Amino acid sequence: MNLPDTSRATQGINFNEPLLFERKPGHCSGASLPAPEVPEVEPSSEIPKEYLRGQVEGMPCLYEPEVVRHYLRLSQLNYGVDTGFYPLGSCTMKYNPKSAEAAARLPGFANLHPLLPDERVQGALELMWRLERMLSEISGFAAVTLQPAAGAQGELAGLMMVRAYHLAKGKPRHKVLVPDSAHGTNPASSALNGFEVVELKSGPEGLLEPQVVAAAMTEDVAAVMMTNPNTLGVFEKNVAEIAKVVHAKGGLLYGDGANMNALLGRSRPGDMGVDVMQFNLHKTFATPHGGGGPGSGPVGVAKELVPFLPVPVVVKDGDKFRLEFDRPQTIGQLRTFWGNFGIMVRAYAWVREMGPAGLKSTSDLAVLNANYVRALLKDDFHLPYATPSLHEVVLNDKNQKDLGVTTMDIAKRLIDHGYHPPTIYFPLIVAGAMMIEPTETESRESIEAFVAAMKAIAVEAKESPEALKAAPTRAFRERLDEVKAARKPILRWKPGTKIEP
Ligand SMILES: *Cc1c(COP(=O)(O)O)cnc(C)c1O
């Protein structure tokens, strides 16, 4: 078989360099400050001795260009969605338009002090108020809070409201039901709220079945958590029926909204009977993520949960906006100030740019792209669930297992081809899972180039499986022992030290 060389990665200019602290020690300064206009004083005459720091041991001698180059090169070791195709399933690594960046950088937004009085920040409050209404409209909820800083904190907030709701009725409940395909944050958020987590088994189609929920549903169950589409990328077609089962016993249905990219403009979780759901603005609403940057996990609620929303709530009185703190049933404030405001500006700009028709075509294209990947790869890689895919497709290594090739080997070889690997070994109900989410922002060409790399790896698995064990060979680092790297990380690499695999 004659496959093109699909690799876009080259050896290029790779620097192997020590950390700054491992460089030449000595005393020098990279800064050149003008002479002070006030007389110099001896610090020890003004500051008590115990607060004065002497020389820092091992402080390297570095000049400005050396520091700039070091940090620029570090930044270039990073792979981001602006670098290339990033099919990390469940994370919706879509392109973030630079117009939204420009909006977030407007001085009137970027330089705001969070403690300015309401009358001085009317524009910012109006933006928050409008974004809350947009998200409510898109998802079918009565109200939205923008406060949580990530999806996981949104889940925490949502379940705090669930707990407060049952407490207010005088009947505290103790259990939350979570399907076995759920993201790990679902049981974690439940446990952090003091709930006992009960796992529900998915059916043969990878779906949660109403009779499974009914069998576990008692008057001690506070909520059932569902992700729709779920982490297999398939639509939970029983959600409305499950909502009825849960509500009949006085429970609430929590929706994990991380996968809203498949539903935007098409269907609304609130209409399906979901009572509370977190959004991940940094996934669905085109704001940057990865690398530990700020996120935003707004929570939408049905009307019976509105009294419990975190404070402050943005309120509109006539044509004025204000932050309201005095709400007797609130779960309280979850975060410093009012949330990650810069992320809200980006999301607002993106929704305005898309408009209703644009949101609809976002989900249409996201689903089309995932199904294109599925159609092109289904003969090379095993598809564990035949249920139709929405915005992502889960494959696994079953076809390669007998050749001794695993999902890990495939993921590592993708790096040699110049791609960020997909999410692997998740969801846990699929052995050797590879979860591919191309998103709507990839062109047909970039999807086909990625597919060509995957096909080349499938061929390599047949022809020289042992070679795959050495992957990656073109990356900055060879394959590391991941357990050892996590347990005994070598944080101070020294020139000449060989890092043991
Ligand atoms: C990403 C994700 C979360 C958690 O969101 P964070 O913003 O990463 O905290 C929860 N559930 C699912 C299904 C996810 O994909």
Side-chain angles (χ1 to χ4, degrees):
M1 186 175 242
N2 237 342
L3 275 164
D5 178 9
T6 64
S7 173
R8 304 175 309 150
T10 68
Q11 297 276 321
I13 302 175
N14 265 339
F15 296 96
N16 234 344
E17 62 184 312
L19 302 180
L20 290 182
F21 268 94
E22 292 156 356
R23 301 198 28 174
K24 48 184 175 168
H27 305 308
C28 62
S29 169
S32 46
L33 299 173
E37 290 170 2
V38 292
E40 275 193 55
V41 293
E42 191 52 43
S44 55
S45 68
E46 303 297 319
I47 301 171
K49 220 166 134 202
E50 64 267 33
Y51 298 127
L52 278 177
R53 186 163 74 176
Q55 286 297 341
V56 180
E57 209 195 324
M59 193 72 177
C61 167
L62 295 160
Y63 298 103
E64 185 173 320
E66 296 175 295
V67 175
V68 168
R69 286 176 185 158
H70 179 77
Y71 284 109
L72 186 69
R73 290 204 290 258
L74 279 189
S75 78
Q76 290 167 339
L77 294 177
N78 234 347
Y79 189 94
V81 74
D82 285 356
T83 320
F85 189 65
Y86 205 139
L88 199 66
S90 208
C91 295
T92 314
M93 306 300 287
K94 63 172 77 174
Y95 174 71
N96 312 130
K98 300 304 168 242
S99 52
E101 287 299 313
R105 279 170 173 68
L106 289 173
F109 288 137
N111 299 338
L112 273 187
H113 192 285
L115 293 179
L116 280 169
D118 293 353
E119 52 288 6
R120 298 279 308 278
V121 292
Q122 286 292 301
L125 294 180
E126 180 171 357
L127 183 141
M128 292 170 74
W129 188 86
R130 285 180 181 276
L131 179 59
E132 286 179 2
R133 261 101 219 126
M134 285 171 173
L135 294 174
S136 300
E137 170 67 21
I138 288 168
S139 54
F141 289 109
V144 166
T145 171
L146 299 174
Q147 207 176 106
Q153 202 190 16
E155 289 176 38
L156 181 76
L159 288 168
M160 285 170 80
M161 288 187 260
V162 166
R163 193 177 59 170
Y165 164 86
H166 290 297
L167 272 174
K169 293 187 125 187
K171 290 189 206 139
R173 295 188 173 205
H174 302 97
K175 288 182 184 161
V176 171
L177 311 183
V178 182
D180 53 7
S181 60
H183 194 270
T185 48
N186 290 190
S189 315
S190 306
L192 271 176
N193 268 293
F195 291 117
E196 182 194 330
V197 179
V198 180
E199 189 178 277
L200 299 178
K201 286 253 164 300
S202 305
E205 291 181 295
L207 300 174
L208 193 56
E209 291 169 355
Q211 67 274 18
V212 173
V213 180
M217 194 63 214
T218 66
E219 301 211 334
D220 199 26
V221 172
V224 176
M225 294 187 93
M226 281 184 85
T227 307
N228 195 19
N230 67 22
T231 61
L232 294 165
V234 305
F235 187 75
E236 291 278 6
K237 63 181 178 193
N238 305 314
V239 60
E241 207 181 325
I242 291 172
K244 284 202 191 103
V245 170
V246 175
H247 293 152
K249 290 269 198 257
L252 295 172
L253 186 58
Y254 184 98
D256 180 330
N259 292 338
M260 267 301 283
N261 214 41
L263 305 183
L264 280 182
R266 286 277 158 200
S267 60
R268 310 197 311 167
D271 298 342
M272 300 174 203
V274 172
D275 300 293
V276 45
M277 181 190 92
Q278 105 278 356
F279 300 82
N280 299 55
L281 294 190
H282 46 288
K283 295 179 180 174
T284 317
F285 292 87
T287 72
H289 69 310
S296 182
V299 180
V301 294
K303 67 173 184 313
E304 65 271 22
L305 290 174
V306 170
F308 307 103
L309 284 171
V311 286
V313 170
V314 186
V315 174
K316 184 170 189 244
D317 290 329
D319 57 359
K320 292 262 180 293
F321 298 87
R322 65 182 169 84
L323 292 169
E324 186 173 272
F325 288 85
D326 185 18
R327 296 175 65 94
Q329 288 188 289
T330 176
I331 58 165
Q333 187 167 352
L334 287 170
R335 210 192 159 275
T336 46
F337 307 125
W338 331 129
N340 280 329
F341 180 68
I343 298 296
M344 298 170 202
V345 178
R346 290 172 174 90
Y348 178 83
W350 184 74
V351 175
R352 289 297 301 266
E353 193 172 332
M354 287 290 135
L359 294 182
K360 207 173 256 181
S361 56
T362 292
S363 49
D364 287 354
L365 280 173
V367 172
L368 180 67
N369 282 351
N371 280 281
Y372 192 40
V373 171
R374 173 174 164 146
L376 293 176
L377 287 180
K378 69 177 175 10
D379 297 331
D380 303 278
F381 297 92
H382 179 68
L383 193 62
Y385 287 91
T387 321
S389 295
L390 288 188
H391 68 305
E392 62 194 358
V393 57
V394 176
L395 305 168
N396 74 1
D397 56 4
K398 192 171 172 215
N399 296 353
Q400 286 74 31
K401 262 253 144 93
D402 288 345
L403 307 163
V405 170
T406 65
T407 285
M408 183 63 82
D409 303 327
I410 297 164
K412 296 297 185 193
R413 184 58 100 205
L414 268 175
I415 297 172
D416 285 330
H417 286 267
Y419 292 99
H420 193 288
T423 296
I424 55 172
Y425 298 103
F426 179 78
L428 303 178
I429 55 170
V430 175
M434 289 180 269
M435 181 198 242
I436 302 171
E437 181 181 10
T439 83
E440 75 280 9
T441 57
E442 292 303 326
S443 65
R444 180 171 172 173
E445 288 72 25
S446 71
I447 290 174
E448 287 174 353
F450 169 76
V451 163
M454 288 290 284
K455 282 180 178 287
I457 296 170
V459 170
E460 192 183 359
K462 283 188 199 138
E463 292 175 352
S464 47
E466 62 298 331
L468 276 171
K469 293 284 164 198
T473 55
R474 295 186 182 189
F476 180 68
R477 284 277 174 264
E478 294 166 12
R479 194 181 309 195
L480 302 176
D481 177 332
E482 306 208 337
V483 176
K484 206 164 154 193
R487 300 253 167 90
K488 290 188 181 171
I490 300 170
L491 299 177
R492 291 214 159 184
W493 177 78
K494 293 238 176 339
T497 320
K498 172 126 177 66
I499 295 182
E500 299 297 334

